[in-house]
């Protein structure tokens, strides 16, 4: 039985790879994509989602719902310095591609209500849509099976400030709302996990690109800008926390260590805005999340390589050609 999930995403770079996990893995039933303000301009993100559906030859098969175009209270903060346009300069003819009329927040509420206790949401952008759904309909929390959240750092460095990881920094009020709402939560943190176990070196990226399929070439093109940025800040490769989050839902055997934590989000300080305090059980706090601590890094790379080796026939041509 495939695992049904919704992907809540700010589609750029590794979000595209996470979407491919949902589209290609036979263990996955990707029910819907909901878009949230995050990495790059909102409409660019939607284009990146269409292009990802196109390369997997799944255009029109997975609904794309547009969610919140800005954080709950604050102004949007872009990560375009990291991601560029989020797709390595690729384009297709977008004529005739339309998102669903239903708003992403309403889609999250409706879809989980239609299949109560069945749908997991893989959350790989700021948590605005998830928080708004919980605020709009309190039944949303109980109807959702689990959240797999990419965000925060586990007593380690941030990536947008010393204290904070991007997704929680952009909408700390949303993150706080979500962690206080009572969801069943698994967290894939930025550091140390992503930096130790989900970095692909230039050679590993090239290895996937050399598979030669449209998927592999798309992967290489889409990851190129993050690879260059990550190398410029001292990370020896491209980072893949979003695709890891989706992969761990489908393949828990990749998880080598995980523990229960109390995760609380700082939303009042300017200095530590979006900081996730992850308390590991000795401070007398009740746990509200499972935090992934270590994964099978080689297994994860082999898993993505396997997916990208599959042949697809994208119906719309990419420019520049893949
Ligand atoms: Ca993301």
């Amino acid at each position: 039985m495939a695992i049904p999930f919704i992907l809540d995403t700010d589609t750029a770079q590794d979000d595209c790879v996470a979407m491919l996990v949902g589209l290609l893995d036979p263990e996955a039933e990707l029910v819907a994509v909901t878009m949230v303000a995050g990495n790059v301009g909102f409409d660019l993100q939607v284009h990146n989602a269409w292009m990802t559906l196109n390369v997997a030859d799944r255009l029109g098969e997975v609904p794309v719902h547009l969610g919140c175009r800005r954080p709950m209270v604050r102004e949007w903060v872009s990560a375009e310095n990291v991601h560029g346009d989020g797709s390595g300069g690729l384009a297709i003819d977008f004529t005739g591609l339309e998102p669903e009329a239903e708003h992403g927040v309403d889609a999250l509420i409706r879809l989980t209500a239609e299949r109560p206790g069945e749908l997991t949401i893989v959350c790989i952008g700021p948590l605005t849509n998830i928080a708004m759904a919980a605020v709009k309909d309190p039944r949303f929390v109980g109807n959702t099976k689990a959240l797999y959240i990419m965000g925060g750092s586990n007593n380690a460095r941030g990536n947008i400030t010393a204290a904070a990881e991007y997704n929680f920094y952009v909408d700390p009020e949303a993150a706080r709302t979500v962690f206080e709402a009572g969801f069943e939560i698994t967290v894939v943190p930025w550091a140390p996990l992503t930096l130790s176990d989900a970095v692909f070196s230039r050679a590993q990226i090239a290895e996937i690109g050399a598979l030669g399929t449209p998927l592999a070439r798309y992967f290489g093109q889409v990851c190129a800008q993050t690879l260059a940025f990550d190398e410029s800040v001292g990370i020896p490769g491209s980072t893949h926390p979003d695709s890891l989050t989706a992969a761990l839902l489908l393949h828990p055997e990749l998880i080598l260590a995980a523990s229960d934590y109390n995760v609380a989000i700082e939303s009042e300080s300017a200095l530590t805005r979006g900081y996730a305090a992850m308390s590991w059980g000795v401070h007398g706090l009740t746990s509200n999340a499972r935090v992934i601590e270590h994964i099978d890094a080689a297994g994860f790379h082999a898993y993505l390589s396997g997916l990208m080796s599959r042949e697809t026939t994208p119906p719309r041509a990419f420019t520049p050609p893949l």
Side-chain angles (χ1 to χ4, degrees), residues 10 15 39 124-125 242:
D10 54 340
D15 292 80
N39 284 322
I124 55 175
D242 294 348

Side-chain angles (χ1 to χ4, degrees), residues 39-62:
N39 284 322
V40 300
F42 197 88
D43 297 326
L44 275 177
Q45 293 181 165
V46 178
H47 281 180
N48 295 339
W50 296 138
M51 288 194 285
T52 305
L53 288 162
N54 180 61
V55 77
D57 194 10
R58 299 284 299 278
L59 273 177
E61 291 180 34
V62 178

Side-chain angles (χ1 to χ4, degrees), residues 9-12 16 19 35-52 64-70 76 78 80 84-87 90-92 94 97-99:
T9 167
D10 54 340
T11 316
C16 301
M19 193 179 299
M35 192 64 62
V36 67
N39 284 322
V40 300
F42 197 88
D43 297 326
L44 275 177
Q45 293 181 165
V46 178
H47 281 180
N48 295 339
W50 296 138
M51 288 194 285
T52 305
V64 176
H65 296 266
L66 307 190
C68 297
R69 287 178 172 267
R70 50 159 287 183
W76 171 59
S78 122
E80 285 167 335
D85 64 5
S87 67
L90 291 171
I92 59 172
F94 296 102
L97 300 176
E98 293 292 338

